[in-house]
Amino acid sequence: MRAVLMAGGSGTRLRPLTCDLPKPMVPILNRPIAEHIINLLKRHNITEIIATLYYLPDVMRDYFQDGRDFGVEMTYAVEDEQPLGTAGCVKNIEELLDDTFVVISGDSITDFDLQAAIAFHKQKKSKATLVLNRVPNPVDFGVVITDKDQRISRFLEKPSTSEIFSDTVNTGTYILEPEVLQYLPENEESDFSKDLFPLLLAKGEPMYGYIAEGYWCDVGHLDAYREAQYDGLDGKVKLDFAYEEKSPGLWLGQNTYIDPSAKIEPPILIGDNCRIGPGVIIEKGTVIGDNVTIGTGADLKRPIIWNGATIGDECYLAACVISRGTRVDRRAQVLEGAVIGPLSTVGEEAQISPNVRVWPSKRIESGAILNINLIWGNTAHRNLFGQRGVTGLANIDITPEFAVKLGAAYGSTLKAGSQVVVSRDQRGFSRMISRSLIAGLMSVGVNIQNLEATAIPIARTMTPKLGVSGGVHLRAHPDRPDHILIEFLDEQGINISKSQEKKIEGAYFKEDLRRVGIPDIGNMSYPAQIIETYRQTFETQLDVEAIHNSESKIVIDYVYGVSGAILPQLLTKFGCDAIVLNASLRQTTISTEERESLLRQLGQVVEAVKANLGVQVSANGEQFILVDESGLSIRGEWLTALMVNTIFTAYPRSTVVVPVEASSAVEQIARRHDGQVIRTKANPTALMEAAQMNPNVSLGGSGDIGFIFPQLHPGFDAMFSIAKLLEMLTSQGRSLVQIQAELPRVCHKSYSLRCPWKVKGALMRYLVETHSPEQLELIDGVKIVNPQNDNWVLILPDAGEPLVHIVANSDDREWVDRSLKAYRQKVQKFIEQEQGDMVSM
């Protein structure tokens, strides 16, 4: 049997280790990853190996040559002009594959039983068998779902945290029959996971997942690179060591001298021709390459040191990587997670801070403290974007220097000369951060249309009208007053897609930032008549005459927000009798307790002046809470149901879009009006996208997030919602109290549990496996439904916190209480069991 070793990757996330070395040739325990894979194949009697090469192909060819010295037969296929992808490169050698063959990734360490996987493949008469493994946190991998016979039923490529339906992931090892390659185009880029396997699934070809026991580590980032070495030394993975084990846990090369006064704590590995000086301390987990010199009194706490490095007297190295030929001078410190590229020099008493990356052939001067990456190419594992934009503590996580770089990264993904809308709320820290972000954008040749302080619904409206390439809005986070939220908009005013977010992250982390000359630096302008343009757009979607004739009295609490400067002007033009509370702008954020106090005050005013309704506007003009004529607040699911009822009465047989966790009152109301309901993932971007895609949508959103009227603009808009509600109440001749009396009485409760990140995937898999497919909806999280009625329970992993939310819904309050208690116990028991298993490993 032949094996195809996919060795084309450049290992971007392992920079600076792979600047001059393809990823499969990066050493693990002083042997290239590819050599460990070849040893694994050889142990399973697979000795004919074809390596597909793209990045620096001569490095691997020169090392392995014809494979004779390694006990195998090696041939090579080089992608000369362009990368063909994981499947395309195998298609390129189709004529060499005339029988069952194995495809194995060149960037992982494993000791799977390949012969057992091959036997499984043949027993099932499979056309394609994927070797799978269970991992604690599957977010960075392709999740594969199989049925009880292990036939593959679904793929999910690198899911978000709320999409994790299983912890069983694709390891990049496949057993294939040659005929599956006929489905692939010739000389075109294609991928196994994205192209071939979904096509085989659609065609009904027999495709199975073999869940392999044993060790597997995708050496995809620097933390995993170190962990694989430590696991190898601890015996967690079966590997062939390059050196003799001189004593338990001490692997030592030839011609290596260790001073008798050195203290060594196994397990450690030291290569050939090394010199370990007096008083050196080497802690367990340390890996030292060939021809390395360690000076007197050096303290090594689990560093990975490559061939030819020189470590000076009294140096301190902690869980870092020192690449080939690097010199670390006397008393220098390289701290946890730092990486020093090949042929670099760290000067005497210099300090490299944790997680700093130094690119090849650099020099750090004596005494310097380096706490930023030296030269572009930061590949530290960090996600800029969360559930909705970029967020963090104001002036701690989100600083002016961070914003400058973020603006430059965003601008670098756009064409030079592009225009971008920038807007913000009225708070001082938002003004400060927006100015820094604007500076970054202008530095890469992007022109700014500055809306200054305004509500985000206005920014979304103006973005397409100004014909710009996108927009940025900065504001206090709606749920965390000490956090700032930065949202990026596309040319239509919708939050940008995940793929666009990844482009910005890539430019930011790799510091792949464009720089333009002085004549091409961006300029800034200030569009005029913004509120007038918004009002005109506003009026096109309203029956203004109905509002004029309503004679409604409304009390509005603006909670000192920027929308307070806008909505009074609009309502005055519509002839509304509006009493305004707390409309002055305030720089400081409002606490939850203060907002609740203002809401009680609003109810008292509504009741005292006998107003038709009251409304509290928040979240920079996106969200609101209603108060009925008796002074009682309407919020959350009750507000969702009220808005859905009102819109369906005005537009029967239309469609509403709500998040997956919204109560079943929405469906009950829709059935009364022959309407349709679309449920989406529990995030604002999903709601905006779904509302825009369907032309029959009359309303999107929920009481907790805000409401979208897609005919107006693609975002949540409390100001338009209030005006539209007034219009519909007038046209329908109803009050809020009357509408509430019509609403379905649905019990809808939720509970949140602490759930470690590493347990979320296993929990979702457990829930999927313990319920029949007819009971499951997998829009977001795992929803267990009763097809006969509106009873359901939703288990939804939180996208930003180590939490899982349990939501129960039914017309029967006792069923909700019983189900919520049962699933709380079930989920808690599983979490505790998984944590116990992790501790015992």
Side-chain angles (χ1 to χ4, degrees):
M1 180 177 287
R2 288 190 174 95
V4 178
L5 173 60
M6 292 187 292
S10 60
T12 337
R13 294 172 71 193
L14 286 178
R15 303 283 189 182
L17 302 182
T18 56
C19 289
D20 60 354
L21 202 62
K23 187 174 176 182
M25 297 303 293
V26 170
I28 297 282
L29 302 181
N30 294 356
R31 276 184 166 168
I33 296 174
E35 187 173 348
H36 290 294
I37 295 170
I38 287 169
N39 286 338
L40 173 70
L41 292 168
K42 190 170 62 173
R43 283 201 300 271
H44 291 92
N45 301 316
I46 302 171
T47 56
E48 293 183 54
I49 301 169
I50 307 166
T52 61
L53 310 176
Y54 178 67
Y55 179 68
L56 301 175
D58 289 338
V59 176
M60 179 174 277
R61 282 193 297 204
D62 291 346
Y63 185 88
F64 291 105
Q65 298 186 30
D66 63 2
R68 190 180 309 163
D69 293 342
F70 300 88
V72 295
E73 180 184 325
M74 294 284 293
T75 54
Y76 305 90
V78 180
E79 302 163 59
D80 291 321
E81 297 179 1
Q82 63 177 26
L84 294 173
T86 57
C89 68
V90 178
K91 173 71 174 179
N92 198 36
I93 56 171
E94 186 177 11
E95 69 275 8
L96 302 177
L97 304 168
D98 55 1
D99 198 358
T100 306
F101 63 96
V102 175
V103 174
I104 190 163
S105 171
D107 54 9
S108 60
I109 293 293
T110 181
D111 56 10
F112 289 158
D113 187 343
L114 298 180
Q115 285 299 337
I118 293 165
F120 171 91
H121 172 85
K122 296 192 176 198
Q123 177 210 336
K124 295 290 187 181
K125 295 183 171 55
S126 176
K127 295 291 185 185
T129 296
L130 282 67
V131 178
L132 310 178
N133 193 236
R134 286 178 177 151
V135 299
N137 186 4
V139 170
D140 289 329
F141 306 102
V143 170
V144 180
I145 299 174
T146 60
D147 63 18
K148 60 183 180 181
D149 293 322
Q150 292 183 260
R151 186 160 181 156
I152 291 169
S153 58
R154 187 173 178 187
F155 294 95
L156 195 59
E157 187 69 10
K158 294 191 178 179
S160 64
T161 50
S162 61
E163 290 177 309
I164 299 171
F165 307 129
S166 174
D167 61 350
T168 309
V169 302
N170 179 2
T171 65
T173 299
Y174 317 122
I175 300 130
L176 304 176
E177 295 302 319
E179 53 262 38
V180 300
L181 300 178
Q182 295 171 11
Y183 286 100
L184 294 171
E186 292 186 358
N187 299 318
E188 288 184 24
E189 184 174 355
S190 57
D191 185 89
F192 280 119
S193 298
K194 295 178 183 175
D195 301 310
L196 179 60
F197 294 150
L199 182 58
L200 294 178
L201 194 63
K203 295 285 186 183
E205 294 280 15
M207 186 164 46
Y208 288 81
Y210 174 78
I211 302 175
E213 299 295 331
Y215 181 92
W216 175 72
C217 177
D218 174 25
V219 189
H221 53 85
L222 292 162
D223 289 343
Y225 173 69
R226 293 195 307 275
E227 287 301 323
Q229 318 248 9
Y230 303 149
D231 290 345
L233 289 176
D234 287 336
K236 293 180 181 179
V237 54
K238 182 181 178 182
L239 297 176
D240 295 326
F241 284 67
Y243 313 105
E244 182 181 353
E245 189 174 11
K246 298 289 187 181
S247 60
L250 174 60
W251 288 269
L252 201 59
Q254 297 179 2
N255 195 32
T256 285
Y257 171 78
I258 301 176
D259 189 275
S261 63
K263 296 180 181 179
I264 295 176
E265 181 185 2
I268 63 168
L269 181 145
I270 303 174
D272 297 329
N273 307 312
C274 295
R275 294 291 178 268
I276 311 298
V280 170
I281 299 172
I282 305 178
E283 289 193 2
K284 62 181 180 180
T286 299
V287 176
I288 299 174
D290 298 334
N291 306 306
V292 172
T293 299
I294 309 293
T296 301
D299 189 356
L300 310 185
K301 298 185 184 300
R302 300 198 310 161
I304 310 299
I305 303 173
W306 288 18
N307 295 351
T310 301
I311 310 301
D313 296 346
E314 300 179 83
C315 285
Y316 178 83
L317 309 181
C320 56
V321 180
I322 308 296
S323 301
R324 170 180 55 86
T326 288
R327 193 180 88 214
V328 182
D329 288 343
R330 180 174 176 269
R331 291 187 176 175
Q333 298 183 28
V334 185
L335 303 181
E336 291 85 350
V339 178
I340 312 298
L343 305 175
S344 295
T345 300
V346 179
E348 187 170 328
E349 297 190 1
Q351 177 179 303
I352 312 300
S353 296
N355 299 311
V356 166
R357 275 64 165 157
V358 176
W359 254 239
S361 304
K362 300 302 159 191
R363 179 178 177 81
I364 293 89
E365 292 182 354
S366 297
I369 298 176
L370 187 67
N371 52 27
I372 59 171
N373 300 317
L374 185 57
I375 220 171
W376 61 274
N378 182 354
T379 56
H381 182 67
R382 178 187 172 193
N383 294 324
L384 287 179
F385 287 85
Q387 179 101 343
R388 54 188 305 179
V390 177
T391 187
L393 284 164
N395 217 27
I396 296 175
D397 298 321
I398 309 295
T399 61
E401 52 270 36
F402 169 83
V404 169
K405 186 176 175 183
L406 179 63
Y410 172 43
S412 295
T413 68
L414 306 173
K415 293 180 180 178
S418 296
Q419 294 198 67
V420 164
V421 162
V422 178
S423 55
R424 57 176 174 83
D425 67 13
Q426 80 279 7
R427 292 175 175 82
F429 61 76
S430 299
R431 181 190 301 112
M432 174 186 73
I433 297 299
S434 73
R435 288 174 174 173
S436 299
L437 192 138
I438 286 169
L441 282 163
M442 293 174 67
S443 74
V444 297
V446 172
N447 301 312
I448 308 299
Q449 297 277 354
N450 193 348
L451 304 186
E452 300 185 282
T454 194
I456 188 170
I458 295 179
R460 293 191 192 278
T461 301
M462 294 301 297
T463 298
K465 291 186 179 297
L466 290 171
V468 297
S469 299
V472 189
H473 185 82
L474 303 91
R475 55 172 164 152
H477 195 287
D479 305 319
R480 298 178 175 182
D482 56 348
H483 282 57
I484 190 168
L485 172 62
I486 307 173
E487 290 177 274
F488 292 80
L489 316 180
D490 66 12
E491 66 276 5
Q492 297 301 316
I494 299 176
N495 284 26
I496 61 173
S497 66
K498 289 293 180 187
S499 62
Q500 289 175 293
E501 290 179 356
K502 293 297 181 187
K503 287 181 181 178
I504 297 170
E505 285 183 345
Y508 180 92
F509 287 133
K510 291 187 288 187
E511 298 190 21
D512 191 7
L513 310 177
R514 182 174 62 231
R515 285 286 179 259
V516 298
I518 292 175
D520 298 318
I521 289 174
N523 54 49
M524 184 156 59
S525 57
Y526 299 85
Q529 296 186 311
I530 296 169
I531 294 177
E532 182 64 20
T533 302
Y534 177 68
R535 183 186 66 79
Q536 291 171 0
T537 308
F538 209 91
E539 289 179 352
T540 63
Q541 302 299 323
L542 286 174
D543 184 347
V544 178
E545 187 175 344
I547 299 177
H548 269 294
N549 297 333
S550 68
E551 299 182 357
S552 297
K553 181 181 287 186
I554 178 172
V555 183
I556 306 175
D557 176 13
Y558 295 111
V559 199
Y560 308 107
V562 70
S563 56
I566 300 163
L567 191 53
Q569 301 178 41
L570 300 173
L571 293 177
T572 299
K573 287 185 178 290
F574 298 151
C576 284
D577 183 5
I579 298 170
V580 175
L581 305 178
N582 307 316
S584 60
L585 297 182
R586 194 163 113 181
Q587 294 295 322
T588 55
T589 55
I590 308 296
S591 68
T592 302
E593 293 76 13
E594 188 175 359
R595 181 175 283 112
E596 290 298 316
S597 174
L598 294 176
L599 186 62
R600 289 192 293 272
Q601 178 193 76
L602 172 63
Q604 293 166 359
V605 174
V606 168
E607 196 174 12
V609 302
K610 295 181 170 56
N612 299 86
L613 62 91
V615 63
Q616 185 184 77
V617 181
S618 62
N620 197 224
E622 281 193 333
Q623 298 172 11
F624 65 96
I625 298 171
L626 285 177
V627 172
D628 65 20
E629 50 264 52
S630 61
L632 298 176
S633 63
I634 307 169
R635 63 171 89 186
E637 294 302 322
W638 202 240
L639 178 57
T640 305
L642 184 142
M643 291 295 291
V644 167
N645 183 290
T646 309
I647 203 77
F648 270 138
T649 303
Y651 304 99
R653 294 180 296 281
S654 65
T655 300
V656 298
V657 176
V658 295
V660 65
E661 74 273 20
S663 86
S664 63
V666 175
E667 279 83 5
Q668 294 186 34
I669 295 166
R671 288 194 285 266
R672 296 176 187 174
H673 298 274
D674 198 20
Q676 299 292 322
V677 177
I678 297 173
R679 287 185 177 259
T680 74
K681 296 176 184 177
N683 68 70
T685 302
L687 286 162
M688 285 187 272
E689 290 174 346
Q692 288 299 109
M693 286 174 61
N694 192 322
N696 198 39
V697 171
S698 55
L699 180 75
S702 73
D704 293 324
I705 302 175
F707 294 98
I708 302 166
F709 292 83
Q711 290 75 23
L712 175 70
H713 67 74
F716 306 94
D717 193 330
M719 297 176 289
F720 182 80
S721 297
I722 295 162
K724 189 67 177 177
L725 182 62
L726 286 173
E727 176 212 295
M728 293 188 293
L729 290 174
T730 303
S731 301
Q732 296 168 22
R734 301 192 294 171
S735 69
L736 293 181
V737 169
Q738 290 171 327
I739 294 174
Q740 289 183 85
E742 300 175 4
L743 299 179
R745 266 39 183 184
V746 175
C747 185
H748 184 271
K749 291 184 178 181
S750 63
Y751 187 84
S752 297
L753 281 171
R754 300 291 296 180
C755 180
W757 290 105
K758 291 184 177 181
V759 176
K760 287 183 179 180
L763 173 62
M764 294 299 102
R765 174 177 58 82
Y766 165 71
L767 292 167
V768 169
E769 290 178 350
T770 53
H771 294 85
S772 66
E774 295 77 20
Q775 291 181 282
L776 298 176
E777 286 182 7
L778 302 178
I779 296 169
D780 204 4
V782 174
K783 195 179 212 179
I784 299 102
V785 302
N786 186 333
Q788 307 304 318
N789 53 38
D790 289 324
N791 294 358
W792 50 258
V793 175
L794 171 69
I795 296 88
L796 182 67
D798 192 280
E801 299 290 337
L803 298 172
V804 63
H805 308 290
I806 306 172
V807 186
N809 177 96
S810 174
D811 294 343
D812 183 345
R813 181 177 296 275
E814 288 185 4
W815 186 92
V816 166
D817 291 338
R818 192 167 61 249
S819 299
L820 197 60
K821 181 180 179 181
Y823 276 93
R824 278 173 55 188
Q825 292 173 347
K826 189 173 190 172
V827 170
Q828 185 68 56
K829 182 179 178 182
F830 183 85
I831 291 170
E832 290 172 357
Q833 181 180 329
E834 286 293 303
Q835 288 180 298
D837 290 345
M838 287 178 184
V839 170
S840 63
M841 287 175 63

